[in-house]
């Protein structure tokens, strides 16, 4: 079993920070849970980098991921695109078609995820939700006749959309959210999710910035990056991008 993940902050694991500062996230959890369910090691790589639009994800991550000769490739993208004022949903879906075609050509099983839905907590959330709904419905229709594509759809999970699954920035899932997504992926691939992952106990009261404090801490830096054409992922390397990492069953 050789599992590689590509994507943005959702797949990198932002919001699920470990005590040493590293991020974990649902994809790392899936690798651990999959090895445990199989009772044998699996090879794992994660090329995802935060802040990436769907175009750069495909341009920079897809072919290196396929070059590793995986058995399974997970893909999620477009979340950062729908935050932009002029998001082109048709273009986003067209790029997904390219991922599907390349996986078919290489004989790789595609694990397709939709991101979790943060829009109920975000400024201009209604606009983003409309785009996310449209994108999700179109992609689901595109693979309606493809039972070989493994689906792990999170966008319409109303429980996952509630604040207790999200970090202070309201844009990235916290450890509860990442465990819930991991449980969904594990069940989708036919593995057994560890007990409790679907809904971990609520975290101790987190700091929930409101009003101008939230805008100053989180919205302002995001706007500055848009105005300067920079990304939170600029200069970052993937955390597991140098080849396979062997994950042992715990």
């Amino acid at each position: 079993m050789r599992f590689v993940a590509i994507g943005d902050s959702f797949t990198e694991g932002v919001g699920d920070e470990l005590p040493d500062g590293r991020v974990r996230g649902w994809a790392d959890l899936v690798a651990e849970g999959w090895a445990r369910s199989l009772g044998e090691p699996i090879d794992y790589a994660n090329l995802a980098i935060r802040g990436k639009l769907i175009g750069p994800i495909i341009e920079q991550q897809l072919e290196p991921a396929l070059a590793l000769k995986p058995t399974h490739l997970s893909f999620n993208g477009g979340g950062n695109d729908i935050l932009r004022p002029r998001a082109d949903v048709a273009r986003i879906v067209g790029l997904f078609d390219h991922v599907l075609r390349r996986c078919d050509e290489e004989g790789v099983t595609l694990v397709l995820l939709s991101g979790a839905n943060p829009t109920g907590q975000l400024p201009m959330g209604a606009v983003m939700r409309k785009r996310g709904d449209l994108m999700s419905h179109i992609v689901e229709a595109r693979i309606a006749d493809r039972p070989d594509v493994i689906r792990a759809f999170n966008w319409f999970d109303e429980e996952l959309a509630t604040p207790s699954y999200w970090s202070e920035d309201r844009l990235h899932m916290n450890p509860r959210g990442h465990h819930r997504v991991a449980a969904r992926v594990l069940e989708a691939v036919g593995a057994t999710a560890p007990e409790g992952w679907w809904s971990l106990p609520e975290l101790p009261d987190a700091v929930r910035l409101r009003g101008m404090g939230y805008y100053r801490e989180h919205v302002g830096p995001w706007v500055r990056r848009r105005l300067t054409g920079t990304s939170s992922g600029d200069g970052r390397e993937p955390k597991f991008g140098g080849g396979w990492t062997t994950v042992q069953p715990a």
Side-chain angles (χ1 to χ4, degrees), residues 123-150:
M124 300 297 292
V127 174
M128 297 174 223
R129 182 167 58 252
K130 183 177 180 180
R131 293 170 179 168
D133 288 351
L134 176 62
M135 183 169 67
S136 296
H137 286 311
I138 294 174
V139 170
E140 288 178 31
R142 291 282 179 95
I143 61 170
D145 61 348
R146 291 293 305 266
D148 55 316
V149 175
I150 297 172

Side-chain angles (χ1 to χ4, degrees), residues 1-6 11 26-27 30-31 34 38 40 42-47 61-62 64-75 99 102-104 106-113 147-151 185-186 188-191 244:
M1 188 70 67
R2 300 185 302 280
F3 166 47
V4 61
I6 65 174
T11 302
W26 68 262
V30 165
W34 210 344
L38 291 172
E40 60 186 46
I42 72 168
D43 290 331
Y44 170 58
N46 188 328
L47 279 62
Q61 299 176 25
L62 178 60
L66 292 173
L68 293 171
K69 302 298 181 184
T71 58
H72 295 74
L73 180 146
S74 74
F75 171 72
V99 176
R102 288 294 294 124
C103 285
D104 286 345
E106 298 296 327
V108 175
T109 298
L110 176 62
V111 182
L112 178 64
L113 290 88
D148 55 316
V149 175
I150 297 172
R151 299 148 167 83
V185 175
L186 286 168
V189 300
W244 294 116

Side-chain angles (χ1 to χ4, degrees), residues 161-184:
T162 58
S164 65
Y165 289 91
W166 293 84
S167 297
E168 177 190 313
D169 68 4
R170 309 182 196 174
L171 188 61
H172 298 101
M173 297 179 302
N174 64 21
R176 287 190 85 213
H178 280 282
H179 278 80
R180 186 173 178 88
V181 170
R184 175 169 283 116

Side-chain angles (χ1 to χ4, degrees), residues 12 16-24 50 236:
E12 184 186 346
D16 184 17
E17 281 77 22
L18 298 173
D20 63 3
R22 292 182 299 118
V23 296
R24 179 178 52 185
R50 66 193 67 182
R236 299 188 70 90

